[in-house]
Amino acid sequence: MKARTRFAPSPTGELHIGGVRTALFSWLLARHTGGEFFIRIEDTDQDRYVPGATRRILEAFDWLGLTLDGGPDHEELRSMKTNEDYPGALDDGEYRGVPGPFVQSHRLHLYKQWAEWLVEHGYAYRANETPEELARMREEAQARKQTFVFREEMRLRTDVRPDEPHVIRMRVLPREGRTEFDDLIRGRLSFDNSQIDDQVLLKADGFPTYHLAVVVDDHLQGVTHVLRGDDWLSSAPKHVLLYRYFGWQEPKWAHLPNVLGTDGKKLSKRHGAQSVFEFRDQGYIPEALINFLALLGWAPGGGDEQNVFTIEELIARFSIEGIGSSPAIFDYNKLDWLNGVHIRRLSDEDLARRLVPFLERAGIPIDTAERFEKLLRITPHIKERIKKLTDAAPFVDFIFGEIETPPPEALIGPKMDRESAIGALQATIKLVRAFEPFEDQPLEQAMRQLCADLGLKPTQLFSLVRNAVSGKSVTPPLFATMAVLGRGTCLVRLERALDRLLRAES
RNA sequence: GCCCCCAUCGUCUAGUGGUCAGGACGCAGCCCUUUCAAGGCUGAAACACGGGUUCGAGUCCCGUUGGGGGCACCA
């Protein structure tokens, strides 16, 4: 069955990592079944609306590589500053049959129309209690230790005219009994109707609440599977009831378990990165983030113990049956590991390109073809040494900039003295000055021979040279590094180190 | 308070009545090794508790405990 799914964020801020997981599962389902996936912007709360948030959400999807088949996916839309800029004219059916608009504030007439339909058919009624009055009623209910559930007979004014400000509330019917439905992840669910509120569907400002808007839109837009966070579970019966009132076919429901922070509480700021862009800026790559998020609540099952997946493999393997029902804790350790794994799978060229902005941010501009060439040459050697793109800078900074000549202590290796260090350095300089070809392997061979000649262990000679040439004790493999550095730079640094040693007190 | 959901190593999980309860991250040790990594091998580490059902329960049922979510003219 081809699934048509959607992700329906409200433009109130940055795309949260938990939201990305929900979107990913919906996206995977659509891709796995050869169906369609689109984004719908739920901007029905005028107070919480953040201009530009829609653009940021779209950018996040671009970065993640989650492609869209319908909804705002055009250049014009990506560049829109506010949802008011949304060009509804693009809704001409070119989105593979998913009808727009895809921004709810542009669909107000539809919600109004269907809310009125419910009133006409006895499934909803008008009310105009003020927020203050409702708050009072709530307090009273609480004083009696009861759950507050609004009912028609609780209205303070029953003569609400259509032309005065009012809301439209759904009538929960029947009053007794239970509302049941199936959830793909939880199985059969059952809620007591007496506990379901006569929810406001259309607000006094003419905007719908979420409950009306999702149902109307999901139906009109042909959504087959509603994947959403666990937190919607308790309002699901309201939506089920609405589908039944309208006589529309229910979509399949799938309420995903929450993603929790390390302390088992809902993921929030204090747990570290939260928005997609924070992860991106911290050096995570989308391949890893997607792999990690997929594994958070989903497993291939069937005895398959694979952990590392490409996006294509995920599409091929994904199924709703593989989604677990218990909440998952976000494990940054595993994310780091996966990020390293996926970095190692990148081609040198690709990795080098992705590294550029991070190096520039670290004060290492890669602004010439020559510098990029150097980066490209060292990239295979740092590939397996970094977990995040931000880890690269300390491995390459000495290649692109000046270094401080290390102090004698750093040059004289274990079980060596000043004299032997000086001798070793002089011999190395002599070798480096004339050696051909100045490349990784040959250089290593020659230097190993030098070790033997000098009666030094590789560790002793190499760490001395490493320090002299890079100014640090941890670097990518020494000879590849020297080759990239170039004979000239190596000589200058070796000589400065020698000079430093010669001047040191003995 | 009421309603709903959840429960296997520290974490992500496999398991669909009979398994030495498997894998992955992390952790420890060993190997490899010019540093740091990566890689390989080994190890420690779990069925929340109590009742049932059954010849036999991690697997089915009930309860307890614990955790999470919801109870808006917010999504």
Side-chain angles (χ1 to χ4, degrees):
Chain A
M1 179 196 182
K2 287 190 179 186
R4 180 182 286 177
T5 59
R6 48 60 174 179
F7 179 62
S10 47
T12 52
E14 296 289 341
L15 185 51
H16 188 280
I17 196 70
V20 176
R21 192 190 59 147
T22 305
L24 174 64
F25 284 6
S26 295
W27 185 86
L28 285 172
L29 179 65
R31 290 287 167 271
H32 177 78
T33 60
E36 297 144 13
F37 173 81
F38 67 96
I39 285 187
R40 184 176 64 228
I41 303 300
E42 311 221 321
D43 60 338
T44 56
D45 185 350
Q46 295 175 301
D47 295 334
R48 296 203 307 155
Y49 176 68
V50 176
T54 298
R55 201 184 75 245
R56 297 281 287 171
I57 290 167
L58 262 9
E59 276 173 21
F61 272 71
D62 278 348
W63 181 71
L64 289 163
L66 300 181
T67 51
L68 310 177
D69 303 310
D73 192 22
H74 286 234
E75 274 315 304
E76 308 96 291
L77 288 172
R78 291 188 194 289
S79 64
M80 70 190 192
K81 297 279 186 296
T82 74
N83 288 352
E84 283 68 46
D85 299 341
Y86 174 75
L90 283 170
D91 302 320
D92 54 7
E94 65 182 290
Y95 305 117
R96 297 219 264 151
V98 183
F102 300 94
V103 173
Q104 288 184 330
S105 58
H106 290 252
R107 302 171 63 83
L108 263 24
H109 60 288
L110 292 167
Y111 311 124
K112 168 89 174 150
Q113 175 190 327
W114 287 105
E116 292 292 345
W117 186 95
L118 288 169
V119 173
E120 280 165 36
H121 290 77
Y123 295 119
Y125 56 90
R126 300 175 206 281
N128 69 355
E129 282 63 40
T130 65
E132 295 71 34
E133 289 168 342
L134 287 167
R136 210 172 308 131
M137 293 164 88
R138 244 174 237 116
E139 277 172 35
E140 285 166 20
Q142 188 154 22
R144 290 194 309 271
K145 299 205 177 225
Q146 286 177 340
T147 309
F148 177 68
V149 174
F150 194 90
R151 286 291 181 262
E152 195 171 4
E153 60 271 20
M154 294 164 68
R155 285 141 90 212
L156 271 13
R157 292 165 293 279
T158 52
D159 55 339
V160 187
R161 292 195 321 273
D163 60 336
E164 65 180 320
H166 66 281
V167 302
I168 291 179
R169 286 181 180 271
M170 74 183 288
R171 223 177 231 130
V172 172
L173 296 170
R175 295 254 187 128
E176 310 295 320
R178 303 180 72 83
T179 295
E180 301 195 337
F181 61 96
D182 291 304
D183 183 279
L184 260 18
I185 295 172
R186 323 267 162 184
R188 191 126 185 106
L189 264 14
S190 173
F191 293 81
D192 190 336
N193 283 12
S194 68
Q195 298 291 323
I196 306 173
D197 190 44
D198 273 8
Q199 182 64 236
V200 170
L201 298 178
L202 202 66
K203 303 186 246 183
D205 64 1
F207 278 70
T209 57
Y210 171 85
H211 310 283
L212 207 220
V214 253
V215 170
V216 168
D217 288 347
D218 283 342
H219 174 257
L220 260 29
Q221 298 183 141
V223 170
T224 60
H225 299 252
V226 172
L227 276 69
R228 71 213 319 190
D230 215 346
D231 37 341
W232 288 111
L233 202 55
S234 37
S235 42
K238 293 172 185 171
H239 310 149
V240 169
L241 248 19
L242 287 175
Y243 272 96
R244 292 178 187 167
Y245 293 168
F246 284 129
W248 295 339
Q249 193 189 7
E250 270 177 61
K252 304 276 189 202
W253 305 102
H255 289 90
L256 308 174
N258 276 136
V259 178
L260 275 22
T262 333
D263 53 1
K265 302 271 188 257
K266 209 172 172 183
L267 204 58
S268 70
K269 272 286 174 222
R270 67 201 149 81
H271 296 117
Q274 213 192 338
S275 91
V276 188
F277 295 120
E278 285 176 297
F279 283 97
R280 180 241 262 151
D281 296 343
Q282 286 177 15
Y284 293 98
I285 63 175
E287 289 89 338
L289 207 49
I290 282 179
N291 189 164
F292 174 74
L293 253 17
L295 255 26
L296 212 55
W298 173 86
D304 190 323
E305 287 168 343
Q306 186 173 349
N307 279 281
V308 180
F309 291 90
T310 63
I311 192 89
E312 289 76 20
E313 288 171 327
L314 286 174
I315 291 172
R317 308 296 307 283
F318 185 79
S319 76
I320 289 190
E321 292 71 51
I323 301 176
S325 51
S326 47
I329 290 172
F330 197 103
D331 181 3
Y332 291 89
N333 260 330
K334 189 160 185 178
L335 208 212
D336 283 357
W337 169 73
L338 267 176
N339 206 54
V341 170
H342 279 96
I343 281 177
R344 270 170 255 135
R345 289 180 159 207
L346 259 25
S347 72
D348 295 341
E349 177 94 35
D350 191 357
L351 212 209
R353 266 202 304 271
R354 298 198 205 201
L355 247 19
V356 170
F358 287 88
L359 294 178
E360 298 196 327
R361 217 210 288 157
I364 308 168
I366 307 297
D367 47 7
T368 64
E370 189 192 358
R371 285 168 80 86
F372 184 77
E373 185 57 31
K374 276 190 180 182
L375 174 60
L376 193 53
R377 284 177 67 196
I378 201 68
T379 295
H381 302 104
I382 62 174
K383 203 182 239 179
E384 62 203 23
R385 294 180 162 70
I386 61 174
K387 282 193 159 84
K388 300 188 270 187
L389 298 179
T390 44
D391 296 338
F395 281 115
V396 301
D397 52 1
F398 63 89
I399 294 175
F400 297 98
E402 283 306 309
I403 64 162
E404 203 123 322
T405 303
E409 318 82 84
L411 294 167
I412 302 169
K415 291 181 187 163
M416 287 177 74
D417 55 21
R418 178 168 166 273
E419 310 312 317
S420 63
I422 288 173
L425 225 30
Q426 285 169 332
T428 304
I429 289 171
K430 190 176 169 206
L431 186 150
V432 165
R433 187 169 287 139
F435 190 77
E436 282 296 345
F438 199 70
E439 284 163 19
D440 189 356
Q441 304 287 325
L443 215 40
E444 174 170 355
Q445 271 189 9
M447 286 294 283
R448 281 190 187 283
Q449 183 57 51
L450 188 60
C451 285
D453 298 345
L454 262 40
L456 288 172
K457 288 185 174 146
T459 320
Q460 295 175 304
L461 209 218
F462 296 173
S463 69
L464 161 55
V465 175
R466 168 177 287 108
N467 270 286
V469 132
S470 71
K472 39 180 83 184
S473 54
V474 174
T475 70
L478 182 56
F479 306 106
T481 302
M482 287 175 71
V484 174
L485 227 31
R487 190 197 307 274
T489 306
C490 285
L491 276 175
V492 169
R493 291 181 181 180
L494 286 166
E495 270 156 10
R496 277 188 197 148
L498 175 61
D499 192 46
R500 182 95 192 243
L501 266 186
L502 288 171
R503 285 200 233 188
E505 309 275 320
S506 44

